[in-house]
Amino acid sequence: MEGGRGHGARLRQAVRLRGPDTGSALSHLEGGLSGRSYDAEALIGLDPADQRPLLARYDLEHAGRSLTRQAMAARRSGGLWRWRELLPVRDSSFITFLGEGDTPLQPVRWPGLARLLVKRESLNPTGSFKARGMAVAVSRAAELGATHLVAPSAGNAGGALAAYAAAAGVRATVIMPADAPAINQVEVLITGAHLILLDGLINDCGRLAALVCDELGAFDLSTLKEPYRVEGKKTMGFELAEQLGWRLPDAIVYPTGGGTGIVGMWKAFAELEALGLIGAERPRMFSVQGQGCAPIVRAFEAGERFAAPWEGASTAAAGLRVPSAVGDFLILDCLRESGGSAVAVPEPQIVDTRSRLGRLGLGYASLETAAAVAGLEALMELGLIGSEETVALFDTGAGFKSDPPAYVVPKTVPNDAAYWRERVIPTLR
């Protein structure tokens, strides 16, 4: 199953004119483990020193001259690109904006909890939080000269890559496990990317993606295998602080696969503090995984800094089916530094929770979001989250981005007014 857009991508890049400077304060790249510095103007994936993630670093003193509370209050549009000083794209003509970011923070009544706030990432353009990371990563890769992008994906990241690559005018190849949700497959195809379905897990897809890079010169946008998807994800942390009046919640509950969101938000909080926009207080960060694939939970409980690959990974929540995360140490460092924890929830509980969420007014939620809610309940039962606390929970994707639950189709009624009065109205009383 595949599709493509031919040579149109190259034509669009050829006629691009330089736009105004964004004011990005990007200064260099830094090895997340090695600490080594690298030129930020090179198209680079993992740290050459140890094949671990690279992180973008900024001249925060320079950024602070224009990125103030007053300035942010005046920036009424632009989504996540409102934070342009702390994003890597320098030339505004390369910004690919589909409306991502500035998602609402919805108060939700929850039994036994003083204040639950749900960050509605499902309202992003491609129906999930993956839009943030791909918006920034694709824009920056195009700026640095990439013409062919590839990524393995359990579903949502692939759809987001395809959509943003199409908007940026670059070629995209997406490699998914064959059992990835059908809607994600359709999304990739309808936006013109090449789709490869592989008989394997996301890590196997990653090995094929690496081969595509080696043989065809594509650039790999795998989770934390390049430095800029995390930059898009960190804007969730920026927005959370701004929406809470430049304060942070007591706890953050986050469904975790590759972990870019947790890593990004933790990075965001440090940058905001350096700019004087928030204080030193931090939320406790809680990672939620499914019991069928919980490498981060297992490593956390064992006191390990690195997570061993999970054998036989299995969960219906496709975004959580990540047996091995290249940024595992960054996730685990964040959980421990914050005083947080990690919890795994049973598969039946994930499925049952999704059904409950709709009836509680949270709409048609994804299985990943349902896992986060099930995790919240488990954390409350364990006493790790108290009843008087303010908790932010991330709704990472819309329900239609997951495989649908089993349901009974209502019987069709005849187009007959007499029948309606006799048989339909009584059932509604």
Side-chain angles (χ1 to χ4, degrees):
M1 183 183 294
E2 65 176 30
R5 69 173 69 84
H7 302 288
R10 291 196 291 274
L11 176 62
R12 177 172 171 178
Q13 280 212 331
V15 299
R16 190 191 301 270
L17 299 176
R18 182 171 179 83
D21 190 276
T22 62
S24 170
L26 179 67
S27 60
H28 65 284
L29 300 176
E30 180 180 276
L33 189 60
S34 73
R36 296 188 182 184
S37 296
Y38 300 92
D39 181 8
E41 301 312 306
L43 188 63
I44 184 171
L46 291 167
D47 186 341
D50 57 14
Q51 295 302 295
R52 289 288 181 173
L54 289 169
L55 299 173
R57 300 301 184 193
Y58 297 82
D59 180 342
L60 296 174
E61 181 179 356
H62 176 76
R65 294 171 191 160
S66 56
L67 204 162
T68 63
R69 293 184 181 185
Q70 294 76 17
M72 294 310 300
R75 296 178 187 179
R76 299 294 185 183
S77 61
L80 64 79
W81 298 100
R82 296 169 61 236
W83 305 90
R84 53 185 176 269
E85 291 91 342
L86 295 181
L87 291 174
V89 178
R90 301 190 191 279
D91 180 349
S92 61
S93 71
F94 285 94
I95 288 178
T96 304
F97 180 53
L98 300 180
E100 61 280 355
D102 271 348
T103 56
L105 190 62
Q106 177 186 349
V108 176
R109 292 182 180 178
W110 199 259
L113 194 60
R115 191 182 186 201
L116 175 62
L117 304 168
V118 177
K119 184 72 165 149
R120 301 306 299 266
E121 290 299 297
S122 59
L123 300 180
N124 274 300
T126 59
S128 88
F129 69 132
K130 300 290 186 179
R132 291 183 186 264
M134 286 303 180
V136 175
V138 169
S139 297
R140 182 61 174 161
E143 183 176 37
L144 293 176
T147 58
H148 182 186
L149 304 174
V150 62
S153 171
N156 284 326
L161 168 58
Y164 283 93
V170 297
R171 181 182 174 192
T173 297
V174 176
I175 307 167
M176 289 181 175
D179 62 352
I183 186 65
N184 298 127
Q185 298 178 32
V186 171
E187 184 179 22
V188 170
L189 293 171
I190 206 70
T191 47
H194 291 266
L195 174 64
I196 299 173
L197 297 178
L198 181 70
D199 181 14
L201 296 171
I202 184 72
N203 291 45
D204 304 309
C205 295
R207 291 190 295 112
L208 177 52
L211 181 63
V212 171
C213 292
D214 292 342
E215 296 293 326
L216 303 177
F219 184 65
D220 193 347
L221 286 189
S222 299
T223 300
L224 285 171
K225 288 189 177 180
E226 56 77 51
Y228 300 119
R229 280 176 66 178
V230 70
E231 295 303 288
K233 296 283 188 67
K234 79 179 181 185
T235 59
M236 295 187 295
F238 291 160
E239 290 177 18
L240 188 61
E242 185 184 25
Q243 288 169 321
L244 290 176
W246 302 104
R247 298 177 63 86
L248 297 174
D250 298 305
I252 289 176
V253 178
Y254 198 87
T256 306
T260 316
I262 283 181
V263 173
M265 285 191 284
W266 197 244
K267 184 175 187 287
F269 300 151
E271 291 172 354
L272 291 177
E273 182 185 0
L275 293 176
L277 296 176
I278 64 171
E281 298 81 9
R282 294 288 186 276
R284 302 190 312 286
M285 307 291 283
F286 292 99
S287 172
V288 180
Q289 298 191 298
Q291 285 184 352
C293 184
I296 298 301
V297 177
R298 182 174 63 187
F300 183 87
E301 292 175 345
E304 302 288 344
R305 193 181 184 201
F306 299 96
W310 189 275
E311 298 296 330
S314 177
T315 173
L320 304 185
R321 197 165 60 236
V322 181
S324 179
V326 70
D328 51 1
F329 69 100
L330 295 171
I331 303 167
L332 290 160
D333 286 354
C334 164
L335 299 180
R336 294 189 176 110
E337 289 171 16
S338 72
S341 187
V343 63
V345 293
E347 188 73 13
Q349 194 172 349
I350 296 175
V351 176
D352 291 346
T353 301
R354 175 166 69 169
S355 297
R356 284 196 293 123
L357 292 182
R359 295 192 294 271
L360 290 171
L362 281 173
Y364 184 17
S366 67
L367 288 166
E368 293 79 11
T369 299
V373 174
L376 170 63
E377 293 175 326
L379 291 165
M380 292 173 66
E381 289 176 7
L382 292 168
L384 296 176
I385 290 179
S387 60
E388 297 304 313
E389 295 193 289
T390 295
V391 178
L393 182 143
F394 278 76
D395 163 32
T396 55
F400 66 84
K401 303 304 293 286
S402 298
D403 283 330
Y407 65 98
V408 177
V409 178
K411 181 181 178 181
T412 302
V413 301
N415 189 7
D416 182 334
Y419 182 95
W420 299 343
R421 291 189 179 91
E422 179 183 349
R423 304 289 295 275
V424 176
I425 296 302
T427 67
L428 302 176
R429 294 192 187 279

